[in-house]
Amino acid sequence: MIKTRISKNISCISCSAKHLCLGKDLTSPSFSHLDQLIKNVKLVAKKDHIYHMNHPLTSLYAVHQGSCKEYWIDENGNECITNFYFPGDIIGIESVSKQKYMFYTTALEDMELCIIPINDFLESMHAFPEILKRFLAITNQKMQHDHSTRTGITANEKVSDFLLNIARRMHERNPGEKEICLTMSQVDIANFLGIAAETINRIFNTLKRKKIIKLKSKKFEVLNIAELQKLGRLDYTKIY
Amino acid sequence: MIKTRISKNISCISCSAKHLCLGKDLTSPSFSHLDQLIKNVKLVAKKDHIYHMNHPLTSLYAVHQGSCKEYWIDENGNECITNFYFPGDIIGIESVSKQKYMFYTTALEDMELCIIPINDFLESMHAFPEILKRFLAITNQKMQHDHSTRTGITANEKVSDFLLNIARRMHERNPGEKEICLTMSQVDIANFLGIAAETINRIFNTLKRKKIIKLKSKKFEVLNIAELQKLGRLDYTKIY
DNA sequence: CGGCATATTGAAAACTATCAACGGCAGTGG
DNA sequence: CCACTGCCGTTGATAGTTTTCAATATGCCG
């Protein structure tokens, strides 16, 4: 198993997520600058923290490989999951202006994260309008995404929207692959959606019975996307 | 009653919401620039639209006076309210990068809105690092705010968090006044929180019976803030 | 003074959480 | 290598919450 540590050498140019990440839409000088900004990779072992809530914000991270969950702890000690992140996602954005991390983030599997030093990055936005524009776009996209994960009202709607959200994001990252690995547990999904884990499990079973999804252990696949959208509540025209 | 129209002459310098709005923390050259950027005020009558979903984004708006609701319409024709805005709030932020409004917004009462032409404003961010910094701070604040309105799970938690949210924002705007005017209807609150209007009404009555709030017609007041926070779920350390 | 939107209340139905028990699987340590 | 342990997923029964439906006030605006 890998240990959490810092490693060197990484390149945006050869990254498989560059069509989603910070570098998207950047032209030559901006892109090169960004590529040079990211010098180090942080390796994080499954279950380890990427950062802790209230710690000073030193960098944003771009997920290069793996997945993680973002959460806070309520007054009763419950883990309240706020987001899941996958390759190409930037984590820490909501924490920039307070200069401290607003949440905890832990790896759901062994991860590789590109370190984006925050001060260098803020300077880059001033120097390169394209980078500013891209950052605003990512921020906007995050606002829309975070909103879209909270549209469902009933448990059925929430679960349907959640599965479609995951399926869509995985499709962006690997269009050829229909089978998705759900790296988070059902308990994690329950905490994220604010419903009981048993309810999640029962809805999964119903969806399996209706042949709308396939799910075995962590292996997940949407079989009938139209039907799943009908069960959900999300306005898909707003996302694409 | 006022008609929806454009009016002239407005000044950030004398605005009562300048400690909350775009101009907050700006020093002399940036502040003056911002002040000059905002040339016109849009007057919107109660129930009229400020903008329509999917229309091209021409400007952001700063609420100068009044309040409004932001919403979209789901596939069944239900109005899904995503936010309420009050003086000093900037509306349209989530729509910047797509260059079209992502939601409908209508006035809950007669309003005065400062028009922030989007192209001029984007240029200002390049020219004045302070304005960029302030915009990033507002964007961050919005992300945190939008998140904080979605932490509650049970109906009681949602209503408690909602009332505290409103009370806190009104206190920022008018610290001396304990009595708050709830400009939105109970049906609006229901649509916003994703629970039935009858449930809202019953929880309001329970809170009144317990002397935690006072509520008569639109006039609202928190009588026991500590108790209301206990009923809610929000982590208040993250907001202040 | 209507007429319509909003607020209120009760009763029943639907939904979801909770509690409890069990099976399977993976990682740990002997 | 195997037994042990703990986490995760599964299922049923029950309790609790919330929605829905229906009927009745209340209040505001023209």
Side-chain angles (χ1 to χ4, degrees):
Chain A
M1 184 199 276
I2 71 165
K3 295 273 185 180
T4 292
R5 64 192 172 84
I6 306 295
S7 160
K8 294 208 179 182
N9 300 321
I10 191 82
S11 165
C12 290
I13 298 160
S14 59
C15 181
S16 63
K18 67 177 166 186
H19 64 297
L20 299 164
C21 196
L22 259 178
K24 186 191 175 199
D25 297 333
L26 297 192
T27 55
S28 174
S30 308
F31 190 85
S32 308
H33 180 84
L34 180 73
D35 194 28
Q36 285 172 23
L37 196 69
I38 296 168
K39 296 189 185 72
N40 295 313
V41 175
K42 184 173 188 171
L43 301 177
V44 179
K46 182 173 176 172
K47 296 195 180 180
D48 277 0
H49 279 83
I50 297 166
Y51 50 73
H52 291 257
M53 191 166 94
N54 293 327
H55 282 203
L57 181 139
T58 54
S59 6
L60 303 180
Y61 297 92
V63 179
H64 183 247
Q65 203 166 101
S67 53
C68 58
K69 62 178 175 183
E70 179 189 83
Y71 65 96
W72 56 290
I73 305 287
D74 72 13
E75 69 278 8
N76 301 316
N78 300 112
E79 182 177 293
C80 305
I81 297 177
T82 50
N83 258 316
F84 297 107
Y85 294 101
F86 303 108
D89 288 333
I90 309 294
I91 60 180
I93 289 180
E94 71 293 333
S95 308
V96 170
S97 76
K98 288 230 173 161
Q99 296 178 278
K100 65 175 183 181
Y101 294 107
M102 303 305 291
F103 299 104
Y104 298 94
T105 304
T106 63
L108 293 167
E109 55 191 318
D110 291 348
M111 294 188 78
E112 293 177 25
L113 297 144
C114 303
I115 300 175
I116 305 166
I118 188 63
N119 290 330
D120 294 352
F121 182 64
L122 290 173
E123 282 169 24
S124 304
M125 279 199 282
H126 293 141
F128 296 88
E130 266 194 346
I131 295 183
L132 167 60
K133 196 178 163 194
R134 178 61 191 143
F135 185 70
L136 292 179
I138 288 177
T139 300
N140 263 227
Q141 190 179 27
K142 178 172 171 57
M143 286 193 283
Q144 289 159 39
H145 174 268
D146 289 358
H147 173 261
S148 75
T149 59
R150 303 290 162 188
T151 52
I153 295 176
T154 66
N156 266 302
E157 288 172 353
K158 289 180 182 182
V159 172
S160 302
D161 284 347
F162 173 78
L163 293 177
L164 282 164
N165 178 305
I166 298 291
R168 181 179 55 77
R169 288 161 79 186
M170 288 304 148
H171 185 259
E172 280 175 351
R173 281 154 181 80
N174 192 353
E177 183 61 63
K178 296 250 176 186
E179 191 176 87
I180 291 162
C181 181
L182 283 184
T183 53
M184 71 293 293
S185 69
Q186 291 185 10
V187 174
D188 284 340
I189 299 172
N191 289 341
F192 177 66
L193 297 178
I195 56 187
E198 293 91 333
T199 303
I200 303 271
N201 190 271
R202 283 184 248 262
I203 292 172
F204 279 179
N205 286 336
T206 306
L207 294 173
K208 278 195 277 190
R209 209 176 318 113
K210 290 187 187 170
K211 308 274 184 210
I212 293 173
I213 64 167
K214 193 159 79 176
L215 179 61
K216 175 133 187 164
S217 146
K218 296 281 180 197
K219 301 296 174 190
F220 164 70
E221 185 180 336
V222 177
L223 297 176
N224 188 339
I225 193 164
E227 203 56 37
L228 197 54
Q229 284 188 17
K230 269 191 222 163
L231 292 175
R233 172 167 246 262
L234 192 48
D235 176 3
Y236 291 92
T237 65
K238 284 240 274 297
I239 299 183
Y240 289 99
Chain B
M1 183 199 278
I2 72 165
K3 295 270 186 182
T4 292
R5 63 190 172 84
I6 304 295
S7 161
K8 292 208 179 182
N9 300 322
I10 191 84
S11 164
C12 290
I13 297 161
S14 59
C15 181
S16 63
K18 67 177 167 186
H19 63 299
L20 298 164
C21 195
L22 258 177
K24 185 192 175 199
D25 297 334
L26 296 193
T27 55
S28 173
S30 307
F31 190 85
S32 309
H33 180 84
L34 181 73
D35 194 29
Q36 285 172 25
L37 195 69
I38 296 168
K39 298 189 184 72
N40 295 313
V41 174
K42 185 173 187 170
L43 301 177
V44 179
K46 182 174 177 172
K47 295 194 180 181
D48 277 0
H49 279 83
I50 298 167
Y51 49 73
H52 291 257
M53 192 167 92
N54 292 327
H55 283 204
L57 181 141
T58 54
S59 6
L60 303 180
Y61 297 92
V63 179
H64 183 247
Q65 203 167 101
S67 53
C68 58
K69 63 179 176 183
E70 177 189 83
Y71 64 95
W72 57 288
I73 305 287
D74 74 12
E75 70 278 7
N76 302 317
N78 300 113
E79 183 177 291
C80 305
I81 297 179
T82 50
N83 258 315
F84 297 108
Y85 295 101
F86 303 108
D89 288 333
I90 310 295
I91 60 181
I93 290 181
E94 71 293 333
S95 308
V96 170
S97 75
K98 288 229 172 162
Q99 296 179 276
K100 63 176 183 180
Y101 295 107
M102 302 306 290
F103 299 105
Y104 299 95
T105 303
T106 64
L108 292 168
E109 54 191 319
D110 291 349
M111 294 187 79
E112 294 177 24
L113 297 144
C114 303
I115 300 174
I116 305 166
I118 188 64
N119 290 329
D120 294 351
F121 183 64
L122 290 173
E123 280 169 25
S124 305
M125 280 199 281
H126 294 141
F128 296 88
E130 265 192 348
I131 296 183
L132 167 59
K133 196 179 163 193
R134 178 64 191 142
F135 186 70
L136 293 179
I138 288 177
T139 300
N140 263 227
Q141 190 180 29
K142 180 172 169 57
M143 286 194 282
Q144 288 159 40
H145 175 267
D146 290 358
H147 173 262
S148 76
T149 60
R150 302 291 162 189
T151 52
I153 295 176
T154 66
N156 267 302
E157 287 172 351
K158 288 181 183 183
V159 173
S160 302
D161 284 348
F162 173 78
L163 293 177
L164 282 164
N165 178 304
I166 298 291
R168 181 179 55 77
R169 288 160 79 186
M170 288 306 149
H171 185 260
E172 280 174 352
R173 281 154 182 81
N174 193 354
E177 183 60 63
K178 295 250 175 187
E179 192 175 86
I180 291 162
C181 180
L182 282 184
T183 53
M184 70 294 292
S185 69
Q186 292 185 10
V187 174
D188 284 341
I189 299 172
N191 288 341
F192 176 66
L193 297 178
I195 58 188
E198 293 91 334
T199 304
I200 303 270
N201 190 270
R202 282 184 249 263
I203 292 172
F204 278 0
N205 285 336
T206 306
L207 294 173
K208 278 195 277 191
R209 209 175 319 115
K210 291 188 188 169
K211 308 275 186 210
I212 293 172
I213 65 168
K214 193 158 81 177
L215 180 61
K216 175 132 187 164
S217 151
K218 296 282 180 196
K219 301 296 175 190
F220 164 70
E221 185 181 336
V222 178
L223 298 176
N224 188 338
I225 194 164
E227 204 56 37
L228 198 53
Q229 283 187 16
K230 270 191 219 162
L231 291 174
R233 173 166 246 264
L234 192 47
D235 175 4
Y236 292 92
T237 65
K238 285 239 274 294
I239 298 181
Y240 290 100

